[in-house]
Amino acid sequence: MSILCQLRKEQLFTSSEMEVVNYIVTHPKTAVKATIRELAELTYSSPSTIGRVCKKVGVEGFTELKIKLATELDRLVVESKNADVNIPVGPEDRVEDFPRIFFNLHYQALSDAYHTVDIKVLKNVADVLYRADAVYVLGSQQSLVLAMDFLCKTAKLGLPFFNPLMNNGFNNNLYKKRRCKRPAALLVSQYADSRRINRWIGELKSMKSDICLITANQDSPNINRVHYAVIVDSEEAVTGKLGNFASRTKLSYVLDMLYMILFMKDYEENLENMKSWTRERERPEW
């Protein structure tokens, strides 16, 4: 989760700490340029108070906070404030404002994902999926759309990826027909805490499958139950939101990168296969 979003969690801070927090949120560019003593003077606080704020947002000190805050300020070029990921439009907004509002919303989501995604973990996920002789690609509800889009793209690579729900579930599908020695699974889930996800992970574990999870919920209890987890916190509320705008953008961003990592493993072969497929499509059917 971004530093600015963590600073907005008022329940984390005391009243004296909130003086520091409010100043940083309101004047982030000034805070980035200030020393810890200068910020203490500006907020009528002390360096020790600023140090406690830093600890509560998960950084070691003020220098690290400034570095992380600076990486987030690029998205503020578009608009002087963060877009509300839960309710991005207000009653005063006009339809003519929507292009700007949603550009800023998706730009903000991509900026967050860019600065937080762990590319090393994503490469490990790609390695697991590439080595497997059968890969379950799973998602539920809105995440299923993203999972199926990924499945359609990877079909071009000739990899043994499939959705078991299209083959009558785990107990009657390609897994038994192939007698796979190295099965794997990719789970795409915004919250990754539903009973369905819990059941899938249990079933996959019983099949000794390597399990990879892509989620927008850093607090999911299932993160510790899988082999690899790629986390891009969406900062969206579970309820009271107009849609999964930010999480959809972030999860799509990660899945697109995963697809390209897989594509690069056999780049020349995949490129030639795609050219051949295109030439076949261009031929008349008579």
Side-chain angles (χ1 to χ4, degrees):
M1 184 181 294
S2 72
I3 290 295
L4 285 170
C5 288
Q6 290 184 75
L7 288 170
R8 290 190 175 89
K9 293 185 175 181
E10 296 184 7
Q11 67 274 17
L12 293 179
F13 308 103
T14 65
S15 57
S16 59
E17 292 166 354
M18 279 303 300
E19 294 293 327
V20 175
V21 169
N22 288 333
Y23 188 89
I24 295 175
V25 171
T26 308
H27 306 91
K29 293 182 180 179
T30 303
V32 164
K33 296 177 181 178
T35 65
I36 191 169
R37 293 192 177 279
E38 289 171 341
L39 184 61
E41 291 179 3
L42 290 168
T43 57
Y44 304 98
S45 62
S46 65
S48 60
T49 301
I50 297 172
R52 290 196 300 273
V53 170
C54 294
K55 293 288 185 183
K56 289 184 178 181
V57 296
V59 297
E60 290 299 319
F62 186 54
T63 299
E64 185 180 351
L65 183 142
K66 290 200 296 180
I67 292 172
K68 291 199 169 188
L69 184 60
T71 64
E72 296 177 19
L73 292 184
D74 59 345
R75 73 186 185 208
L76 299 179
V77 172
V78 181
E79 198 169 83
S80 61
K81 63 179 181 178
N82 281 5
D84 187 335
V85 296
N86 296 308
I87 306 178
V89 298
E92 73 284 357
D93 291 317
R94 303 170 302 155
V95 172
E96 289 76 13
D97 296 325
F98 287 4
R100 171 185 55 81
I101 290 170
F102 282 94
F103 174 82
N104 190 60
L105 174 64
H106 292 293
Y107 180 83
Q108 176 180 309
L110 283 173
S111 179
D112 277 346
Y114 173 77
H115 290 302
T116 59
V117 68
D118 192 330
I119 194 64
K120 291 181 179 179
V121 175
L122 195 59
K123 288 173 67 177
N124 289 334
V125 169
D127 288 340
V128 168
L129 302 184
Y130 184 76
R131 292 194 304 264
D133 50 12
V135 177
Y136 301 106
V137 179
L138 295 161
S140 61
Q141 298 183 10
Q142 294 189 47
S143 298
L144 176 60
V145 177
L146 299 175
M148 295 307 295
D149 176 71
F150 176 78
L151 187 62
C152 289
K153 288 198 285 278
T154 53
K156 299 177 181 179
L157 309 183
L159 296 172
F161 290 12
F162 65 97
N163 184 292
L165 302 182
M166 294 181 176
N167 295 273
N168 301 319
F170 289 106
N171 296 321
N172 182 22
N173 55 32
L174 297 181
Y175 172 74
K176 288 192 174 182
K177 292 177 184 177
R178 291 171 180 262
R179 300 186 177 217
C180 301
K181 295 180 179 179
R182 187 178 292 191
L186 176 67
L187 275 63
V188 183
S189 177
Q190 180 178 357
Y191 299 113
D193 59 1
S194 67
R195 284 183 292 180
R196 177 177 292 180
I197 294 293
N198 294 338
R199 186 179 71 253
W200 282 345
I201 291 177
E203 293 179 3
L204 290 163
K205 280 181 171 290
S206 70
M207 298 188 310
K208 302 187 184 309
S209 175
D210 292 330
I211 308 171
C212 303
L213 171 68
I214 297 178
T215 183
N217 179 13
Q218 65 179 355
D219 298 319
S220 167
N222 285 311
I223 288 173
N224 296 324
R225 298 181 64 205
V226 301
H227 295 85
Y228 292 105
V230 181
I231 308 164
V232 282
D233 200 310
S234 69
E235 302 152 18
E236 291 173 351
V238 178
T239 59
K241 60 183 177 182
L242 296 181
N244 299 330
F245 303 114
S247 60
R248 182 189 63 205
T249 296
K250 291 184 178 185
L251 293 173
S252 294
Y253 173 71
V254 170
L255 287 167
D256 284 346
M257 285 193 292
L258 178 58
Y259 169 59
M260 292 312 302
I261 295 172
L262 291 167
F263 188 95
M264 293 293 291
K265 289 184 177 295
D266 299 296
Y267 184 87
E268 295 298 335
E269 181 181 346
N270 287 327
L271 201 60
E272 183 56 36
N273 287 340
M274 290 186 65
K275 289 179 180 178
S276 298
W277 180 79
T278 301
R279 287 194 293 268
E280 289 294 327
R281 289 289 299 270
E282 289 175 349
R283 292 180 181 178
E285 296 184 359
W286 60 85

